[in-house]
């Protein structure tokens, strides 16, 4: 008599992941997922063990961001699972597909009472698109297929599965895996396209906004072609940088602030803004007001109506298809006046480049941005942590290739920059990859330098040092509070790098940074480059000087 083949729930989980094309999983194992660990040992999936669950989660989210396929991370129960809360929020707000698998004590019997048990599913539910506990091993294939489908559906984001210890060990007859169909995205209604065409055709001063939703993998070529057929000037949000090349003659700049930045000279003149892929989860690039420009919202999803964002026409469907159809309908038929935009474009971009050769030391942030740009080829990837320097990079770092500047302007968490760069360096080993971190953000997850070295990555970590939580200190000064509670001291970062087996160098003059970056890339391996920054520019340019210069322009 033939007996049906049986396997553990953990083996079935791994088979289901392989069925989805998963090639790597990131995490920190624990007692409650040892069956899963053993199943991974016998699989073709690469295991990347990190030194903190946050880093595993940030790497998985960045995998999703760069590939368009869900990254997968795992942890044990309790403290391991709670350490994935921030990466879940990072992926949810950032629109990054990810699967989180956490362990749990047995659910059919218990010998340890409530030890380490928290209700992880309830904890994850508001931070994910779906959070479920696996109750029977036989359900794993359908649960995994549904998790991936949900993670990938627009708007992409994280999903969570909790695999209890006894369900991971449960033996079940082999269950058929679920077929993985190709992704299908609906297209916009013809009526919506017609409404958008009517508004654009009437506009005298139209302007295009490129948001983070337009930076999905694979969208850039079609989107860029459509924008250049329309010949309408464009600007982008921080997370929309690169979706349409920043070296285009139509590029106006990046909205690093919500208002009163140089790019708002163009925004304030527009009578129509075509908003492509803008998501209100990102810090707003402009604030809608009564009497302001009309807005056409083109996205995969309906707009989230807000006090400062209430579009007049919505075109909902595949972004590339929608913008392409819009360009087809309007090509050669538009009559608008872009002379003002093109005139002030040079002023806006010139301002963004001010200070590129500043000789002072500690270094001006504008010079740091310029030297990083000089060190990176067009396809080089920089991954920013969160700090004051992010505004400077958003305003002044020009990108011509999609997803070559990875920053988080949604959750805006500290501690993700190093992990994101580790993922980028893993996916693109032949491209230059740099993590740009403040000293505050770097120290939040710096322990995973060991992981980067163990993985054999080629990675440069630029640490911008001001011995303070600089962005909050800037805002504290802008609100006229006393300087208090935001400074700290640092370890010797060169010695710190050496202790991990990396190499470190401290820049001692403004003309040393570019050479140090190029030398680090040429040598290969993991390098820390530490540069002191002069953040007095934050007040001089972003508060005092900006208001004065904008008044003069207006």
């Amino acid at each position: 008599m033939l007996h049906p083949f049986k396997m553990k729930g953990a083996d079935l989980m791994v088979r289901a992941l392989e069925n989805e094309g998963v090639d790597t999983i990131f995490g920190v194992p624990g007692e409650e997922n040892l069956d899963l660990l053993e199943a991974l040992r016998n699989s073709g999936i690469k295991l990347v063990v990190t030194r903190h669950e946050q880093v595993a989660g940030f790497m998985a989210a960045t995998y999703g961001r760069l590939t368009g396929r869900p990254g997968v991370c795992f942890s044990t129960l309790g403290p391991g699972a709670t350490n994935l809360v921030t990466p879940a929020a990072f992926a949810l707000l950032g629109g990054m597909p990810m699967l989180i698998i956490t362990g749990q004590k047995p659910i059919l019997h218990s010998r340890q009472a409530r030890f380490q048990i928290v209700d992880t599913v309830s904890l994850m539910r508001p931070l994910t698109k779906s959070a479920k506990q696996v109750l029977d091993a036989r359900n794993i294939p359908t649960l995994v297929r549904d998790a991936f489908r949900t993670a990938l559906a627009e708007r992409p984001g994280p999903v969570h599965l909790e695999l209890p210890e006894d369900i991971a060990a449960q033996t079940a007859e082999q269950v058929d895996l679920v077929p993985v169909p190709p992704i299908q995205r609906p297209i916009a209604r013809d009526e919506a396209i017609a409404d958008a065409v009517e508004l654009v055709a009437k506009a005298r001063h139209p302007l295009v906004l490129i948001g983070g939703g337009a930076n999905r993998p694979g969208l850039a070529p079609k989107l860029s072609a459509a924008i250049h057929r329309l010949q309408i000037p464009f600007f982008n949000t921080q997370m929309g940088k690169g979706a349409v090349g920043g070296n285009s003659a139509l590029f106006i700049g990046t909205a690093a602030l919500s208002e009163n930045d140089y790019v708002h000279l163009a925004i304030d003149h527009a009578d129509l803004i075509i908003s492509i892929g803008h998501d209100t989860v990102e810090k707003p690039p402009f604030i809608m007001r009564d009497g302001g420009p009309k807005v056409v919202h083109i996205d995969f999803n309906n707009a989230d109506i807000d006090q400062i964002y209430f579009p007049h026409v919505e075109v909902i469907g595949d972004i590339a298809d929608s913008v392409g159809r819009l360009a087809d309908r309007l090509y050669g038929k538009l009559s608008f006046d872009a002379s003002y935009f093109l005139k002030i474009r040079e002023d806006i971009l010139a301002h963004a480049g001010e200070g590129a050769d500043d000789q002072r030391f500690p270094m001006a942030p504008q010079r740091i941005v310029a030297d990083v740009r000089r060190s990176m080829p067009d396809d080089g990837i920089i991954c920013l942590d969160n700090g004051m320097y992010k505004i400077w990079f958003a305003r002044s770092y020009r990108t011509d290739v999609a997803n070559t500047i990875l920053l988080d302007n949604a959750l805006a968490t500290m501690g993700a920059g190093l992990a994101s760069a580790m993922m980028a360096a893993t996916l693109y080993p032949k491209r230059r990859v740099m993590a740009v971190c403040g000293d505050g953000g770097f120290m939040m997850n710096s322990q995973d330098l060991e992981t980067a070295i163990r993985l054999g990555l080629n990675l440069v970590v630029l640490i911008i040092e001001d011995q303070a939580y600089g962005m909050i200190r800037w805002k504290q000064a802008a609100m006229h509070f006393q300087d208090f509670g935001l400074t700290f001291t640092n370890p010797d970062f060169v010695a710190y790098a050496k202790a991990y087996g990396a190499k470190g160098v401290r820049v001692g003059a403004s003309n040393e940074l570019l050479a140090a970056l190029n030398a680090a890339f040429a040598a290969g391996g993991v390098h820390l480059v530490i540069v002191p920054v002069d953040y007095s520019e934050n007040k001089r340019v972003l508060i005092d000087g900006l208001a004065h210069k904008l008044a003069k322009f207006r």
Side-chain angles (χ1 to χ4, degrees):
M1 179 179 178
L2 293 175
H3 295 282
F5 178 68
K6 292 188 175 184
M7 63 173 59
K8 288 184 176 182
D11 296 305
L12 198 51
M13 174 68 77
V14 170
R15 291 271 185 101
L17 294 177
E18 290 177 321
N19 184 55
E20 298 289 343
V22 174
D23 53 21
T24 309
I25 186 169
F26 310 89
V28 179
E31 178 184 349
E32 286 68 31
N33 47 30
L34 286 175
D35 277 301
L36 181 64
L37 194 66
E38 178 64 11
L40 288 169
R41 185 181 70 84
N42 293 305
S43 77
I45 297 176
K46 179 181 178 180
L47 170 64
V48 174
V49 175
T50 59
R51 304 306 297 267
H52 196 284
E53 291 88 354
Q54 261 198 16
V55 171
F58 290 142
M59 291 185 75
T62 304
Y63 181 101
R65 180 178 189 172
L66 290 173
T67 67
R69 306 189 306 272
V72 183
C73 60
F74 77 104
S75 76
T76 188
L77 82 172
T82 59
N83 280 341
L84 287 174
V85 164
T86 300
F90 174 77
L92 182 69
L93 272 63
M96 307 173 201
M98 175 171 72
L99 171 62
I100 299 167
I101 302 171
T102 60
Q104 187 54 277
K105 291 292 184 187
I107 56 174
L108 301 179
H109 63 86
S110 175
R111 296 186 178 185
Q112 296 190 32
R114 302 293 299 171
F115 177 66
Q116 284 195 311
I117 294 179
V118 295
D119 186 350
T120 305
V121 174
S122 294
L123 181 71
M124 288 292 187
R125 193 164 282 134
L127 298 171
T128 59
K129 297 179 70 177
S130 170
K132 298 177 180 178
Q133 184 184 65
V134 182
L135 299 173
D136 190 316
R138 292 169 293 185
N139 294 333
I140 287 174
T142 52
L143 285 171
V144 170
R145 175 80 284 268
D146 186 60
F148 274 75
R149 180 193 62 81
T150 301
L152 286 167
E154 287 291 340
R155 184 175 179 270
V159 293
H160 168 240
L161 289 176
E162 180 179 82
L163 183 62
E165 189 176 3
D166 52 353
I167 304 302
Q170 177 190 352
T171 56
E173 294 181 6
Q174 184 175 7
V175 181
D176 289 337
L177 299 174
V178 181
V180 180
I183 298 172
Q184 298 186 50
R185 290 195 175 101
I187 62 172
R189 297 179 304 113
D190 286 337
E191 295 85 351
I193 296 290
D195 289 343
V197 166
E198 183 179 0
L199 268 187
V200 177
K202 291 178 179 177
R204 293 296 299 141
H205 307 292
L207 194 60
V208 170
L209 161 66
I210 307 295
N215 237 339
R216 302 276 189 266
L219 274 182
K222 290 182 179 179
L223 185 59
S224 293
I227 294 299
H228 286 94
R229 290 179 70 204
L230 289 169
Q231 283 294 296
I232 298 175
F234 70 92
F235 70 103
N236 52 41
T237 69
Q238 293 187 34
M239 295 180 75
K241 287 175 74 71
V244 178
N247 289 327
S248 165
L250 297 171
F251 176 63
I252 300 294
T254 297
L257 305 173
S258 296
E259 53 187 345
N260 291 326
D261 200 353
Y262 272 79
V263 74
H264 292 98
L265 290 168
I267 295 169
D268 293 346
H269 185 74
D271 61 355
L272 174 74
I273 294 178
I274 305 169
S275 174
I276 303 174
H278 173 51
D279 191 330
T280 56
V281 75
E282 186 173 3
K283 192 170 185 179
F286 68 96
I287 295 174
M288 290 185 67
R289 298 180 175 90
D290 290 338
K294 292 188 180 299
V295 174
V296 174
H297 174 87
I298 301 177
D299 200 358
F300 296 104
N301 304 295
N302 289 313
D304 291 322
I305 304 302
D306 191 271
Q307 288 182 339
I308 61 173
Y309 190 71
F310 39 90
H312 301 82
V313 170
E314 296 191 53
V315 181
I316 307 305
D318 182 271
I319 285 177
D321 177 82
S322 296
V323 181
R325 287 159 66 193
L326 192 71
D328 289 343
R329 294 278 298 274
L330 292 169
Y331 182 64
K333 300 176 182 177
L334 288 177
S335 176
F336 57 85
D337 182 6
S339 59
Y340 173 80
F341 295 137
L342 299 179
K343 172 180 174 293
I344 65 169
R345 173 183 182 271
E346 297 305 317
D347 293 321
I348 293 170
L349 297 181
H351 172 72
E354 284 178 359
D357 297 309
D358 195 307
Q359 296 296 314
R360 87 184 71 174
F361 193 83
M363 291 184 69
Q366 303 98 308
R367 174 67 184 270
I368 293 174
V369 174
D371 281 356
V372 169
R373 179 67 277 182
R374 290 165 180 142
S375 74
M376 300 299 284
D378 284 347
D379 69 347
I381 300 172
I382 64 170
C383 300
L384 273 64
D385 208 276
N386 267 277
M388 195 63 227
Y389 52 89
K390 188 181 76 170
I391 293 179
W392 290 103
F393 273 89
R395 297 170 87 239
S396 302
Y397 191 89
R398 298 275 288 279
T399 52
D400 207 43
V401 179
N403 287 310
T404 52
I405 176 169
L406 303 186
L407 55 79
D408 171 22
N409 196 36
L411 183 66
T413 180
M414 296 172 71
L418 174 60
S420 296
M422 288 164 59
M423 189 70 258
T426 302
L427 288 170
Y428 306 110
K430 295 184 179 180
R431 292 161 69 173
R432 285 192 173 188
V433 177
M434 182 189 302
V436 180
C437 306
D439 44 5
F442 173 73
M443 288 302 292
M444 289 186 176
N445 277 315
S446 64
Q447 73 286 332
D448 271 273
L449 279 176
E450 186 277 326
T451 306
I453 293 167
R454 178 167 25 97
L455 293 175
L457 300 182
N458 294 316
L459 176 63
V460 173
V461 182
L462 177 64
I463 301 176
I464 299 175
E465 186 179 52
D466 66 331
Q467 299 192 343
Y469 294 117
M471 178 173 282
I472 310 306
R473 198 180 190 193
W474 168 59
K475 293 186 177 181
Q476 187 181 56
M479 295 172 71
H480 306 291
F481 291 123
Q482 290 293 312
D483 186 359
F484 175 74
L486 294 170
T487 59
F488 46 72
T489 58
N490 288 317
D492 178 341
F493 284 125
V494 174
Y496 191 81
K498 184 178 180 181
Y500 278 100
K503 295 181 180 177
V505 60
R506 174 173 289 277
V507 172
S510 60
N511 61 0
E512 293 179 5
L513 176 57
L514 180 58
L517 295 175
N518 285 331
F521 280 122
V526 177
H527 292 255
L528 266 60
V529 177
I530 303 94
V531 57
V533 64
D534 178 2
Y535 270 153
S536 65
E537 287 293 274
N538 296 341
K539 186 174 187 299
R540 188 185 72 83
V541 175
L542 296 182
I543 299 176
D544 299 337
L546 189 61
H548 173 72
K549 289 184 179 181
L550 284 175
K552 185 172 71 173
F553 269 103
R554 291 188 172 117

